[in-house]
Amino acid sequence: MDILITGLFLGGTYALIAMGLNLQYGIARIMNLANGEMIVVGGFSAFWLYSSAQVSPLLTVFLVAPVAFLLNWLIYWIMLRPLVKRAKSRGQLEVDAILATFGLAFVSVGIMLAVFGGDYFSYSYLARPIRLLGDTYALNRATAFLAAVLICAAIYLWLNYSRPGMSIRAIAVSPESARLVGIDVPKLAALTFALGGAVTATGGALISMFFTLDASTGVIFTLKALVIVIMGGVGDVRGTIVAALLLGVLETFVAAVIDPGLTLAAAYLLFIVILLFRPQGLFGRRGT
Amino acid sequence: MKRRTLLNTTVALTLSAALAGPALAQETLKIGAVGPKTGPLAGGAAVTHWPNIELWSTEVNERGGIDVDGTKYMVEIIEYDDQTNPSETISAVTRLATQDEADFILAPYSTGLNLAAAPIFDRFGYPQVTSTASTDRVGELSDQFPNLFFLLGQNSEIVGDAVEILTELREAGDIGNRVAMVNVADAFGIELAASAKPIFEEAGFELVYETSYPLGTPDLSPVMKSAKDSEPDAFVAWSYPPDTFGLTEQAVIEELDVGVFYTAVATAFPAYKQRFGAAAEGVMGIGGVNAESESFQDYAARHMEVTGQAPDYWASGMMYASLQILEQAITGAGTIDRDTVTQYIKDNSFDTVMGTIEFDENNNNPAYWTVGQWQGDAFRGVASTGREGAVDPILKDGWE
Amino acid sequence: MIRADGRTLALVALVLAVAACLPLTGSAYWLSLGISIAMYTVLTTSWALFSGPTHYISLATAAFFGVGSYTTGIGIEYLPYWALPPIAGVLGAVMAALVGLATLRLSGVYFVIFTLGLAELVRQVIIWFQNISGQKGIYVLTKITEAQIFWQLLGLAALVYAAGWAIGRSRLGFALRIIGDDEEVARHSGINTARAKVALFMVSGAAAAVVGAVLAPRFVYIEPSTAFTPMLSFQVVIMALLGGTGRLWGPLVGVIPFTFLWEAISASFPNQTTLLLGVSFLVIVYLLPRGFVGLIEGTRRRMRAREAFA
Amino acid sequence: MRTDAPVLSLRGATKRFGGLVAVNDLDFDVAEHEVMGLIGPNGSGKSTTLNLISGALPPTSGGIALRGTPIENLPAQEIARKGVARTFQLVRLLPSMSVLDNVRAGAVFGHRRRWGAEAETHALRMLKLVGLDRRAHAHTGELTYIDTKRVELARVLASDPEVLLLDEWLAGLNPTELEEGIALIRRLRDDGRTIVLVEHVMDAIRSLCDACVVMSSGAKIAEGTPDEVLSDPEVIRAYLGDDDDA
């Protein structure tokens, strides 16, 4: 029980890390290698506002999300739209996006270094035990999990029941047909990319409550997010959530029962095994 | 064949002319500095490495430069970012030696990068006074690289003293026999844990929980829960910065009740105290300083003033000491000839912020702090291999 | 066609011969740049041997490189140094064969991330093993000089080029070009696509492992975090793509300017290295959409066109 | 050479996709030098049958044999090597290669494996056979529709197959091209090749096929000469019924 809850909390954290990338890659079709840097930006904002003005990271989120949305929206229109336009095929776009966002990741790290230096930033917020069903857990992790649930649910409902959400899903399935039925693909792709960025930055602000970050740590999160998105299946919100939770529970289980030294090995093993049996990811569609 | 020799001689002549040439006219010393500004170790280097270089060069230039046989030499620092990548460290040191023709090069940051650079330092005859390298192979390394100096100490001593402190506390009846030991599965953590295990067993401790976890483990709560379940009297973690923070936070949350709580690297960072506040009281870790000594207090104040941040209580002082040693050796030798300066470092003792330092026959500093503990607002040395001013260890008393 | 190949081959041999003289100049600086170039040439060229025709982007370079480094790191205690790079090559090839067989069903980005996950898995398992076996830090203390490392890498580069040239001329190379165009057609033409792909993947895996083994003495101290750095995998992909993977010499024209650019930025802007690398990267991506090969061939075509009209 | 033993034979060949039975218990034989027409309304399972024979899909059950050797469990490349070569419903060329290299692909990797100059002369011979020898060095992108079909045919022929599977090879051609196409296949027939033809063009079937198998909803409903089957009432019904929802 204790393992399950700890694992779910960790899984919630992973969902926060990966959900934004899933939107950006699954729908806007940009494999964003600068995803982790957006997490660090979110985390730094929370750190800075907390240590300079005692603003709770839970409030910072409401500032970070719209700013990140705007920032990512601009990134899409200025940087990525030209690539989408010039790409002759999906594969070409993939390669270009990898190269461009890799460069963007470098630029982001460089800017962050210049702005807030290379030092670790870590602060203590809600690092208190709470008791659930007879065991103790970290309040900040529980809070982040709750936030993850809210965010994921909101995205899921929005994609499935709102008009723009349904258009976006149509784009994910087939951009060409979506264009034929009168959906403004570039605009919605930009919107989704921006939304993905906002979710990612929000995740960063939340996880900074318990992760020690520095300007260069982004790449670790990018790798993790890529693994989760692929494992769940590109473009599927449920897939990302399930994959994140699965990973969280597995890592916790291995750490608690087998050997903490194998935690990450087990995580990657799970990822590899899943791909061997379901090459398109847990919820992915074949042939994409 | 003959032509080849001729060619080589010409090259050698040109090279030596190039190296000797600037020394005649200049009044500044070019000092090369390499270290991570990005990459996995950038966070640590931003605490320990770069601020001291800034502090030292500022101070030297404020007092008019380094005295070499009556002439004052200002220092000019040439910095390179090695991105925590040994290939880049090698390139950067080579560039400093050949392109920038640096008069001296400061040791890079961390064991791996220091050793990667060692052959280049050796080849060009630069002394490398390391302050962030920790190894058990000092003898072998100094045989291969006679210009390589170690300030920070040997792993076996760091581990041995930690066990000794525990033994003392046990003999005083303060703690029992049960130790939970974890380590981060990266080079340094593995090396420390591998040394520690036999020493703990020899000292009669029972390792009730023992495990490693990968660097970058996102959630350490299973580790801490298992450690807690094993009901230890002492918790020892051979840890790295992010997990040092993570483990402590989990210990607070799990309300781990131990007499000794020990985490390794970064425990001595000011950020640790800043983050955990009163809960840090009684936490032990690698390093420590004589916080009461005037020289250290003075150093800490100047560090704060010049760089805007506090030094850490382990390698920072050593890093600064390495710069002082270099400066004193240049002045003492009265020349900037590197071989003479290297020999001077071997033969003499130096007065530094960490106290007097003298290298042994293996180019190793035999007297260094091994175990420190947060007591009040400072991380004070509780054990050393021959340093003055150790305080008595206190028991960890809860997390409030 | 064949005559043109012969000329290219002669040119390559000449370039290698000239390059081999680099250590004789006595400049440690150029030698260290030379090592970077040679190392990335081997890594990117062997990478492109597989990825160029098949369009599979592999991020497993670091895994092979790391295994190679560890082969030297651990093996040096028991075996003479010269025996280690070949062993590393065999290990790399075996590992590549296993991975290749496992990943045949994966396509596109799933393959990309799979190889990334694999690299991390190998790294984690090796670290874990190092930890439980109580292996302390791994030191590679040898008398091997930079020049020797450089020559070994050059030799390896020559081998990779020879292999690439031979493959390009063989049924295997032709098969791979067909697979790259249309795998379905390839299968129905009687090509064992799985075998062809795995064979090539083994070549690139072995080459990367040997590079790791050769470079280990240079680093003196082997750490998992540097031996298996994912950055290496990305750099290889980026340089190869910047050069162009359609030609055997494509990666090389990516590696050389990139190394100099990297060096120039690292040397001139130590505090903004990362930022400027990113910026120059973006500039290249936007201004050179088809890599340096595209640029060179475009220029050549324009020049030819001008001659034709003159 | 015995002509009575079939080159290709299907026995109870069945393919299910989940609940859908695409090919149901199909039996037929193709004799040496015979052109066999596989006809039927859209969705009757003709193309799936070709996919089973060529190994693009494994059959759910049943057997397929080439000169008596079972091939139903072999992967596509093995079947191709044993001498079954196919064209695709939608032409598939190798876009980055010249016409000649496209054809060389068949010569190098097919049933009879050639290499070097031999493969090249053989490929040129095949191009000449389909009437494209003068465009050997053209890029595939420059070709007209029928020429792309010719290239594909030449590629398949270059492997010297025992059995040639043509999947609606004549579809989409205009009347003039159709005439050329039929003439081309007739020439192959006259050369004594064994061909299985999935086709909709009735004229072609009448003039080219020695025998026909008619499929409807995955099952064989008639077999015989073209004239026989095309006058079979069940076949007519199947086609007319198909017309309703076509």
Side-chain angles (χ1 to χ4, degrees):
Chain A
M1 198 60 212
D2 148 34
I3 293 174
L4 192 67
I5 295 179
T6 311
L8 287 176
F9 283 0
L10 181 60
T13 307
Y14 285 161
L16 283 176
I17 293 170
M19 187 55 72
L21 182 70
N22 186 31
L23 291 175
Q24 294 183 329
Y25 182 59
I27 294 151
R29 313 235 155 175
I30 300 291
M31 176 142 137
N32 185 2
L33 292 183
N35 177 68
E37 276 63 39
M38 196 48 71
I39 288 180
V40 178
V41 168
F44 178 73
S45 314
F47 165 76
W48 185 67
L49 284 172
Y50 183 75
S51 42
S52 63
Q54 297 293 303
V55 180
S56 156
L58 299 174
L59 291 176
T60 307
V61 163
F62 294 98
L63 179 70
V64 164
V67 173
F69 183 91
L70 195 69
L71 185 66
N72 279 273
W73 195 80
L74 289 173
I75 289 174
Y76 188 84
W77 280 110
I78 295 169
M79 278 189 55
L80 302 169
R81 183 68 195 143
L83 296 182
V84 176
K85 269 201 256 177
R86 101 181 173 199
K88 290 189 193 76
S89 67
R90 177 88 201 258
Q92 178 65 41
L93 177 59
E94 209 128 76
V95 168
D96 278 354
I98 288 175
L99 291 170
T101 55
F102 189 74
L104 182 64
F106 266 71
V107 172
S108 313
V109 170
I111 294 175
M112 286 191 285
L113 273 177
V115 175
F116 50 81
D119 205 347
Y120 293 107
F121 46 95
S122 99
Y123 59 99
S124 191
Y125 185 75
L126 296 182
R128 287 197 297 273
I130 51 158
R131 299 211 149 262
L132 283 176
L133 305 166
D135 271 304
T136 46
Y137 304 94
L139 184 55
N140 47 22
R141 284 183 189 258
T143 312
F145 177 76
L146 217 61
V149 170
L150 286 176
I151 290 170
C152 292
I155 291 174
Y156 184 76
L157 292 175
W158 183 69
L159 282 179
N160 280 283
Y161 298 103
S162 78
R163 228 190 122 67
M166 285 198 264
S167 310
I168 285 171
R169 286 198 308 143
I171 297 176
V173 176
S174 165
E176 286 71 34
S177 336
R179 196 171 292 121
L180 290 179
V181 296
I183 293 172
D184 186 347
V185 175
K187 201 180 120 199
L188 279 176
L191 180 76
T192 322
F193 187 87
L195 184 68
V199 170
T200 306
T202 304
L206 291 170
I207 66 169
S208 72
M209 292 189 293
F210 42 86
F211 278 150
T212 300
L213 304 172
D214 68 67
S216 309
T217 39
V219 59
I220 297 169
F221 295 107
T222 307
L223 298 185
K224 199 99 198 185
L226 284 172
V227 163
I228 293 168
V229 169
I230 293 300
M231 192 158 118
V234 169
D236 194 295
V237 174
R238 291 166 306 162
T240 299
I241 296 170
V242 170
L245 294 180
L246 210 58
L247 216 59
V249 173
L250 175 87
E251 286 188 6
T252 311
F253 176 80
V254 170
V257 179
I258 302 170
D259 181 350
L262 288 172
T263 319
L264 297 184
Y268 288 109
L269 192 67
L270 174 74
F271 166 70
I272 283 169
V273 168
I274 284 184
L275 277 200
L276 288 182
F277 289 97
R278 283 193 65 84
Q280 71 279 27
L282 288 172
F283 286 79
R285 284 173 302 274
R286 258 184 195 284
T288 45
Chain B
M1 201 59 214
K2 225 172 190 170
R3 269 185 67 172
R4 179 99 150 272
T5 330
L6 189 68
L7 180 75
N8 278 347
T9 323
T10 326
V11 169
L13 280 174
T14 328
L15 260 183
S16 55
L19 293 175
L24 302 171
Q26 73 180 5
E27 297 212 337
T28 53
L29 279 178
K30 284 193 204 166
I31 309 275
V34 180
K37 288 173 192 263
T38 52
L41 293 184
V47 176
T48 306
H49 191 72
W50 297 111
N52 281 301
I53 295 172
E54 184 189 347
L55 172 63
W56 177 72
S57 59
T58 311
E59 288 182 340
V60 167
N61 289 338
E62 271 173 5
R63 68 175 107 90
I66 299 179
D67 181 37
V68 185
D69 203 19
T71 317
K72 289 279 194 180
Y73 283 78
M74 303 291 270
V75 297
E76 178 199 343
I77 302 287
I78 306 169
E79 294 183 6
Y80 292 124
D81 175 11
D82 64 20
Q83 299 151 17
T84 326
N85 174 349
S87 303
E88 292 296 322
T89 311
I90 292 168
S91 305
V93 174
T94 310
R95 191 188 305 132
L96 284 168
T98 58
Q99 301 306 104
D100 302 315
E101 293 169 356
D103 296 293
F104 290 93
I105 303 176
L106 305 177
Y109 180 76
S110 87
T111 313
L113 303 181
N114 279 316
L115 292 183
I120 315 288
F121 274 86
D122 187 51
R123 176 168 170 190
F124 292 97
Y126 288 94
Q128 184 182 190
V129 187
T130 69
S131 55
T132 48
S134 181
T135 163
D136 273 341
R137 300 255 201 131
V138 167
E140 234 175 300
L141 287 165
S142 59
D143 276 351
Q144 179 134 1
F145 309 114
N147 298 344
L148 186 58
F149 297 86
F150 294 95
L151 275 176
L152 200 58
Q154 288 178 262
N155 290 341
S156 51
E157 298 287 343
I158 286 168
V159 168
D161 279 7
V163 177
E164 204 164 304
I165 295 277
L166 260 68
T167 312
E168 278 167 25
L169 289 171
R170 183 183 60 187
E171 274 157 16
D174 290 332
I175 59 167
N177 215 12
R178 303 169 64 84
V179 175
M181 182 178 95
V182 304
N183 72 283
V184 60
D186 214 325
F188 190 51
I190 293 174
E191 223 175 291
L192 287 172
S195 308
K197 199 176 169 190
I199 303 180
F200 267 123
E201 279 164 358
E202 207 175 303
F205 282 97
E206 187 190 350
L207 289 175
V208 290
Y209 180 65
E210 190 196 341
T211 192
S212 70
Y213 54 86
L215 186 64
T217 301
D219 186 359
L220 290 161
S221 70
V223 173
M224 192 49 75
K225 278 183 200 226
S226 305
K228 191 187 180 191
D229 289 346
S230 70
E231 296 175 348
D233 301 307
F235 177 87
V236 176
W238 311 110
S239 56
Y240 248 37
D243 37 275
T244 296
F245 289 100
L247 283 169
T248 310
E249 177 155 325
Q250 287 306 325
V252 174
I253 285 157
E254 295 293 335
E255 293 161 327
L256 179 74
D257 183 24
V258 283
V260 172
F261 184 85
Y262 178 103
T263 46
V265 184
T267 315
F269 284 7
Y272 189 90
K273 176 74 181 170
Q274 213 177 319
R275 171 146 170 191
F276 296 108
E281 181 70 11
V283 172
M284 287 192 199
I286 295 190
V289 297
N290 179 0
E292 300 307 317
S293 83
E294 217 170 279
S295 58
F296 185 82
Q297 284 181 348
D298 181 40
Y299 158 69
R302 283 180 286 131
H303 194 288
M304 194 73 199
E305 190 190 330
V306 174
T307 69
Q309 66 188 76
D312 77 53
Y313 292 96
W314 178 33
S316 272
M318 282 301 190
M319 173 68 193
Y320 191 80
S322 75
L323 301 167
Q324 290 182 301
I325 288 170
L326 183 66
E327 181 185 348
Q328 290 169 24
I330 295 170
T331 305
T335 168
I336 56 170
D337 175 68
R338 292 192 286 267
D339 288 339
T340 319
V341 171
T342 306
Q343 198 54 47
Y344 191 92
I345 297 176
K346 290 186 193 216
D347 295 342
N348 290 276
S349 73
F350 301 90
D351 183 27
T352 74
V353 292
M354 300 299 281
T356 307
I357 290 177
E358 196 179 336
F359 292 98
D360 65 14
E361 72 282 2
N362 286 329
N363 291 349
N364 185 40
N365 161 28
Y368 48 89
W369 290 101
T370 49
V371 185
Q373 185 174 42
W374 281 103
Q375 292 185 13
D377 53 2
F379 188 75
R380 297 166 201 275
V382 293
S384 73
T385 58
R387 286 275 152 224
E388 301 272 303
V391 296
D392 286 331
I394 57 170
L395 283 178
K396 180 81 186 124
D397 182 23
W399 297 96
E400 289 309 313
Chain C
M1 183 102 174
I2 288 181
R3 194 174 314 140
D5 275 338
R7 220 168 48 203
T8 316
L9 208 61
L11 194 69
V12 169
L14 186 70
V15 169
L16 283 172
V18 171
C21 300
L22 180 64
L24 304 179
T25 64
S27 163
Y29 176 70
W30 288 103
L31 184 57
S32 115
L33 274 180
I35 288 179
S36 289
I37 290 176
M39 160 187 159
Y40 281 113
T41 301
V42 175
L43 291 176
T44 52
T45 309
S46 61
W47 181 88
L49 278 182
F50 168 73
S51 297
T54 59
H55 306 301
Y56 278 83
I57 293 182
S58 156
L59 286 178
T61 310
F64 299 121
F65 182 90
V67 165
S69 299
Y70 267 76
T71 307
T72 301
I74 295 172
I76 199 93
E77 303 245 326
Y78 312 101
L79 291 169
Y81 169 76
W82 55 263
L84 297 169
I87 293 177
V90 171
L91 285 178
V94 169
M95 205 170 107
L98 294 177
V99 180
L101 289 172
T103 51
L104 291 172
R105 290 168 70 207
L106 298 177
S107 57
V109 74
Y110 288 90
F111 177 84
V112 181
I113 309 303
F114 182 95
T115 53
L116 185 71
L118 181 96
E120 289 294 304
L121 176 67
V122 173
R123 161 178 166 178
Q124 292 299 337
V125 170
I126 287 185
I127 296 170
W128 178 74
F129 190 74
Q130 188 186 346
N131 196 66
I132 58 159
S133 65
Q135 180 102 35
K136 290 193 185 183
I138 293 179
Y139 297 81
V140 187
L141 291 168
T142 60
K143 296 280 175 207
I144 294 164
T145 61
E146 293 254 290
Q148 286 163 335
I149 290 173
F150 176 72
W151 279 320
Q152 290 186 62
L153 288 174
L154 263 194
L156 195 57
L159 261 174
V160 169
Y161 274 111
W165 184 80
I167 290 169
R169 223 122 260 86
S170 69
R171 282 166 183 272
L172 179 60
F174 190 43
L176 281 160
R177 279 173 60 207
I178 299 171
I179 294 172
D181 265 11
D182 191 328
E183 198 162 337
E184 189 76 12
V185 168
R187 294 199 315 127
H188 282 97
S189 302
I191 295 169
N192 190 333
T193 55
R195 205 163 62 195
K197 283 191 280 185
V198 171
L200 257 275
F201 197 49
M202 285 170 72
V203 171
S204 79
V210 177
V211 172
V214 167
L215 280 174
R218 193 177 190 225
F219 298 143
V220 181
Y221 187 65
I222 311 273
E223 298 179 90
S225 57
T226 49
F228 286 96
T229 171
M231 211 53 171
L232 180 75
S233 303
F234 281 105
Q235 275 176 343
V236 166
V237 174
I238 301 279
M239 286 189 199
L241 291 180
L242 277 183
T245 57
R247 303 252 181 257
L248 192 54
W249 49 269
L252 182 66
V253 296
V255 166
I256 293 176
F258 200 85
T259 308
F260 282 107
L261 179 73
W262 191 284
E263 173 63 23
I265 290 177
S266 306
S268 318
F269 305 97
N271 286 310
Q272 290 86 31
T273 308
T274 313
L275 176 66
L276 288 173
L277 279 175
V279 170
S280 47
F281 217 77
L282 289 174
V283 170
I284 294 170
V285 173
Y286 287 92
L287 298 186
L288 286 180
R290 293 194 304 122
F292 285 108
V293 167
L295 183 74
I296 291 170
E297 295 196 329
T299 317
R300 208 193 272 168
R301 209 171 305 128
R302 271 197 300 279
M303 276 167 61
R304 216 176 292 147
R306 207 173 299 150
E307 275 166 26
F309 286 115
Chain D
M1 196 177 281
R2 286 168 55 199
T3 46
D4 50 327
V7 177
L8 182 73
S9 60
L10 276 73
R11 288 292 172 272
T14 301
K15 180 70 190 177
R16 285 197 190 83
F17 294 108
L20 178 85
V21 185
V23 174
N24 192 7
D25 200 19
L26 191 64
D27 292 343
F28 68 79
D29 290 324
V30 183
E32 184 108 49
H33 310 309
E34 183 182 58
V35 175
M36 153 76 82
L38 194 55
I39 62 177
N42 283 330
S44 59
K46 306 180 300 287
S47 279
T48 309
T49 307
L50 278 202
N51 283 336
L52 296 184
I53 300 172
S54 68
L57 297 169
T60 315
S61 63
I64 301 171
L66 183 71
R67 295 197 187 281
T69 321
I71 57 167
E72 68 270 8
N73 289 323
L74 297 180
Q77 66 267 19
E78 293 293 324
I79 295 177
R81 272 187 216 177
K82 285 195 178 296
V84 178
R86 69 170 298 177
T87 65
F88 294 88
Q89 203 168 353
L90 302 168
V91 187
R92 298 182 92 139
L93 295 185
L94 305 167
S96 78
M97 299 186 192
S98 69
V99 167
L100 180 64
D101 276 351
N102 263 272
V103 181
R104 239 161 44 90
V108 171
F109 295 104
H111 181 40
R112 270 211 51 201
R113 317 200 118 199
R114 298 174 165 84
W115 185 239
E118 192 199 350
E120 188 155 332
T121 41
H122 186 67
L124 280 169
R125 204 156 52 228
M126 292 304 123
L127 277 175
K128 195 174 172 97
L129 187 67
V130 299
L132 263 184
D133 46 330
R134 256 175 280 159
R135 308 224 56 191
H137 296 286
H139 203 263
T140 54
E142 306 159 6
L143 300 177
T144 60
Y145 184 60
I146 177 134
D147 283 353
T148 62
K149 294 212 147 202
R150 287 181 207 258
V151 174
E152 199 184 25
L153 186 62
R155 182 177 73 214
V156 171
L157 288 172
S159 69
D160 286 347
E162 305 261 338
V163 182
L164 202 56
L165 309 177
L166 301 182
D167 196 353
E168 300 195 22
W169 194 79
L170 296 168
L173 301 182
N174 66 34
T176 352
E177 290 172 340
L178 192 61
E179 224 165 279
E180 290 174 35
I182 291 176
L184 188 53
I185 294 176
R186 184 171 303 120
R187 210 151 55 231
L188 299 180
R189 193 182 91 139
D190 297 345
D191 287 349
R193 303 217 179 233
T194 311
I195 300 173
V196 176
L197 202 64
V198 166
E199 208 43 80
H200 277 303
V201 183
M202 289 303 161
D203 284 349
I205 292 161
R206 281 212 180 80
S207 67
L208 290 174
C209 294
D210 301 305
C212 277
V213 165
V214 188
M215 292 180 73
S216 177
S217 309
K220 181 170 83 177
I221 56 169
E223 188 172 6
T225 64
D227 289 336
E228 278 166 28
V229 297
L230 291 178
S231 54
D232 186 318
E234 203 180 339
V235 173
I236 293 165
R237 194 161 53 245
Y239 268 95
L240 287 178
D242 180 59
D243 276 354
D244 287 345
D245 47 46

